Amino acid sequence: MSEHTHRTTPTQTKPEAGADVWHMGLIHRTMSARFDLLSTLIAETGGTDPVRRDALVADLDLALRGLHHHHRGEDTHLWPKLHARVPEESTTITRMAAAHQDIDALLDQVQDCAQQWSTAAVGPAAAAASTTLVEAMTRFRIALADHLAEEERLIVPLLAQHITRAEWDEFGKLMSTNMPRSGLPIFMGMVHDAATEDEAREFFAPMPGFVKAIWKLSGRKQYAKYMARLHGTH
């Protein structure tokens, strides 16, 4: 955020009710925790257990696609509103969008390394490929952590001031309904892992009924089995 004082021009209209943007911090925490966990589990698996390796590669792909989906949602549904309502912060907002492109480049490197690991022969070749993948993930995680910290420091306060609660809830619904249904139980489990019980209840409250029904009816058990495969304890 720029050091100058925010000013409101006569042509600007301030939203009637600010967004409850603590959700953004939880989403960031959820994504960061998942990439940290995967980096540890990939290093642990190394050149052994091809079944577990396949599960980890699939989960990494899901997490990377989820991050990309989140960033595109910000680019198309949040940043344009901020540009229009807080034009004096356009430089900062544009820098956040540019950071998404930089992270996408690192994301692509991680995906390439994951593909190489997934096809490497069990033993030394797979062990070497896993090391290369973990190194790529480390570069990616550092860049992501820096970006998320800057976004929370500079952009989240703007969202709280200039995005309405209705717009924020609509953004959350859009993010969940545009996600492939097969990935919903995994995403919900990741959020539950990172959140307190109260945070999870409030986070999912505005989401469509079918999303909450998936978790209640089968998602929780499905996620537990899924995590067991990642940890190699199934």
Side-chain angles (χ1 to χ4, degrees):
M1 189 181 302
S2 59
E3 294 178 356
H4 59 262
T5 304
H6 289 299
R7 57 187 181 277
T8 302
T9 67
T11 58
Q12 289 176 313
T13 300
K14 187 175 181 179
E16 69 280 0
D20 192 6
V21 295
W22 70 269
H23 292 168
M24 187 69 85
L26 177 57
I27 293 170
H28 291 172
R29 218 162 71 220
T30 297
M31 293 187 297
S32 295
R34 191 54 156 216
F35 292 124
D36 290 349
L37 174 64
L38 284 170
S39 186
T40 298
L41 296 181
I42 289 168
E44 179 183 285
T45 304
T48 67
D49 197 343
V51 173
R52 185 184 182 193
R53 176 178 62 180
D54 288 346
L56 289 168
V57 169
D59 189 71
L60 177 59
D61 180 67
L62 181 66
L64 292 171
R65 286 189 289 115
L67 175 64
H68 182 77
H69 176 63
H70 174 72
H71 281 171
R72 292 296 78 76
E74 291 177 336
D75 291 342
T76 57
H77 297 285
L78 296 180
W79 297 174
K81 291 182 174 66
L82 291 181
H83 273 298
R85 296 170 186 175
V86 203
E88 64 269 29
E89 297 292 354
S90 285
T91 299
T92 297
I93 299 162
T94 299
R95 189 168 74 250
M96 293 299 102
H100 288 174
Q101 297 179 13
D102 294 339
I103 289 170
D104 279 348
L106 293 170
L107 185 155
D108 289 343
Q109 293 176 17
V110 170
Q111 288 181 317
D112 289 344
C113 291
Q115 175 63 27
Q116 293 171 20
W117 184 46
S118 71
T119 58
V122 173
S130 74
T131 298
T132 301
L133 172 55
V134 170
E135 290 171 349
M137 288 187 68
T138 297
R139 294 190 293 272
F140 163 77
R141 287 161 53 216
I142 290 171
L144 180 62
D146 289 345
H147 167 67
L148 297 182
E150 185 174 36
E151 186 172 286
E152 290 184 22
R153 186 175 73 255
L154 303 181
I155 295 295
V156 170
L158 296 180
L159 295 173
Q161 296 172 41
H162 300 281
I163 300 296
T164 68
R165 181 179 291 271
E167 288 170 337
W168 184 253
D169 288 347
E170 183 62 25
F171 173 69
K173 290 177 183 177
L174 188 68
M175 291 296 94
S176 63
T177 54
N178 285 351
M179 181 181 296
R181 290 203 179 190
S182 61
L184 275 174
I186 311 307
F187 166 72
M188 297 178 78
M190 288 166 58
V191 172
H192 278 281
D193 283 347
T196 66
E197 186 175 333
D198 288 342
E199 285 175 334
R201 181 168 53 251
E202 187 173 346
F203 180 85
F204 289 113
M207 292 191 177
F210 82 87
V211 174
K212 290 176 277 192
I214 286 174
W215 181 254
K216 183 177 180 180
L217 295 176
S218 62
R220 190 186 302 272
K221 290 183 180 179
Q222 181 180 340
Y223 183 68
K225 292 179 180 179
Y226 181 91
M227 291 304 295
R229 289 195 294 273
L230 296 188
H231 285 277
T233 58
H234 65 290

